[in-house]
Amino acid sequence: MITVYHNTRCKKSREGLEVVKDSGKDYRVREYLKVPLTEEELSALIDKMNISPIQLVRKNEKAWKENYKEIDLSDRELISVMVKNPKLIERPIVENDRKAVIGRPASDIEEVL
C-alpha cells in the first residue's frame, strides 16, 4: 500500500497526489495537518528516505525563519519541532513498504510506485 502524506492547500502536494492516482496503484492519503505525525512516525519516514531531518524542513516557512533558523538543533529536536509545527514538513511525502520520497519534483514519486 502506498501512503501519500498530503497538504491539500499545497500545489506541489496536489500534483504529487495526481501522480499516485494516475499510477493506478492502491493508495491512501494522510492529511498530516489534520492527523499529525508522531515523533516515531516521522523518524521512521526520515529513515526510509535515507535523509537527515534538516533535509525535510521547509526552510522558507515563516515559522522556521522566525523561531528556529538561528538555533543549532539536534536531529531529535528537529523531529520534535516538525511534529509540533507540521507546516514545516516538506510535501508531499510518498511511502511504500520499503521506501519513502519527498515528491519534489513529482517525478521522484516514481521511485516508490
Side-chain angles (χ1 to χ4, degrees):
M1 173 68 72
I2 294 167
T3 302
V4 179
Y5 296 87
H6 178 56
N7 176 346
T8 58
R9 299 186 72 195
C10 174
K11 180 181 178 188
K12 295 291 185 188
S13 193
R14 291 191 303 270
E15 289 172 4
L17 181 57
E18 283 303 312
V19 169
V20 174
K21 284 181 182 178
D22 292 346
S23 76
K25 301 206 178 201
D26 289 336
Y27 69 93
R28 65 183 175 159
V29 174
R30 179 160 175 188
E31 292 184 35
Y32 65 89
L33 296 179
K34 292 180 182 177
V35 182
L37 295 160
T38 65
E39 288 187 21
E40 293 78 18
E41 289 172 321
L42 186 57
S43 214
L45 275 174
I46 289 167
D47 287 345
K48 275 188 170 182
M49 287 185 269
N50 198 27
I51 63 173
S52 63
I54 192 65
Q55 292 175 277
L56 192 57
V57 173
R58 294 176 53 83
K59 295 167 199 76
N60 287 326
E61 286 289 330
K62 182 179 178 181
W64 177 259
K65 289 179 180 180
E66 291 180 356
N67 301 306
Y68 304 106
K69 182 180 179 181
E70 302 299 325
I71 301 172
D72 186 24
L73 299 169
S74 69
D75 286 352
R76 180 169 288 289
E77 289 169 328
L78 281 167
I79 290 168
S80 180
V81 164
M82 286 186 278
V83 166
K84 291 175 186 159
N85 303 277
K87 285 185 177 182
L88 294 178
I89 300 171
E90 282 285 1
R91 62 222 179 215
I93 298 170
V94 181
E95 172 191 36
N96 65 23
D97 293 338
R98 300 172 317 280
K99 186 173 180 149
V101 297
I102 301 169
R104 288 174 171 254
S107 60
D108 286 356
I109 294 169
E110 297 295 329
E111 291 182 44
V112 296
L113 295 178

